[in-house]
Amino acid sequence: MAVTPIVISGLVFRRGGRAVLDGLTASIAATGITAIVGPNGAGKSVTLRILDGLLQPDAGEVRFGRGAGADVRRALVFQRPALIRASVEANVALGLAAAGSGLGRAARRERIAAALHRVGLGDRARDPARKLSGGEQQRLALARALVGGPDLLLLDEPTANLDPGATEAIEELVRGEAAAGTKVILVSHNLGQVARLADDLLVLDRGRAVEHGPAQAVLQAPRTAEARAYLKGELPWTAFAAA
Ligand SMILES: Nc1ncnc2c1ncn2[C@@H]1O[C@H](COP(=O)(O)OP(=O)(O)O)[C@@H](O)[C@H]1O
Ligand SMILES: [Mg+2]
């Protein structure tokens, strides 16, 4: 697809008598890494699922440039990698099922090998996925997301369960993917990670966008009370005191 801005207009998503998304509006640049932060229950995961096409909003819309996004290849990575009880390469093959249906057997194998190599699991293809460490499993989930060549990579707290070393490996991969032209939208509570990776930062609160701007500016000088309250709760005290 041609890289186009993502325009989110007035999204409403109701469940159990309440509005999980309550008129969410935001314009997201076509390139780079956009981070989304906000308190638990703010609607971050629902927003990613709507962007992925897994959920339909009750009102509002998402537009990709002038289109509805049918031609936008998307991939979503969750906090806990949902792996099948099979080999590492079989898990990556799942990511090709939709995207790579026109490929021959040899081309598919090549793509799978390239994706595994990319995430540093080139020599683990035949291992059972469950034998991998937590960090390796998340890199496998990333390989499965990348193997189809997504235009839009959606990451929902992808390092929430990982140690600093494994987190750094994921961050490096995400940075490289964005540099190669994939649009990345990252939900994270790790504000250090947001500062390291994000170009822009969108703060959600109770199903609405309360602040959106260059990541460093929002982190250092949030303009709204809601953003300040969230950031203050997440930042180490000293970092906030210095800001
Ligand atoms: N499919 C669904 N059905 C019912 N409730 C949902 C559904 N998806 C999300 N919710 C509820 O919506 C709220 C916000 O969800 P979520 O997007 O997961 O928040 P966040 O990711 O910001 O923590 C939560 O209280 C959750 O229980
Ligand atoms: Mg969530």
Side-chain angles (χ1 to χ4, degrees), residues 86-92 105 109 112-113 116 121-132 140:
S87 68
V88 165
E89 62 186 356
N91 273 277
V92 179
R105 208 186 141 113
R109 290 197 71 87
I112 291 167
L116 283 174
L121 294 173
D123 56 348
R124 307 295 299 273
R126 299 292 168 87
D127 288 353
R130 282 181 308 144
K131 265 182 57 182
L132 301 181
L140 171 54

Side-chain angles (χ1 to χ4, degrees), residues 43-95:
K44 304 179 296 295
S45 294
V46 166
T47 300
L48 288 193
R49 282 177 165 81
I50 290 174
L51 288 169
D52 195 47
L54 290 170
L55 287 177
Q56 295 301 317
D58 294 303
E61 62 172 13
V62 178
R63 297 190 72 77
F64 296 81
R66 275 186 237 150
D71 57 339
V72 179
R73 286 182 304 221
R74 296 164 240 189
L76 177 55
V77 173
F78 301 98
Q79 176 176 347
R80 283 172 214 282
L83 302 174
I84 58 166
R85 287 167 184 245
S87 68
V88 165
E89 62 186 356
N91 273 277
V92 179
L94 288 180

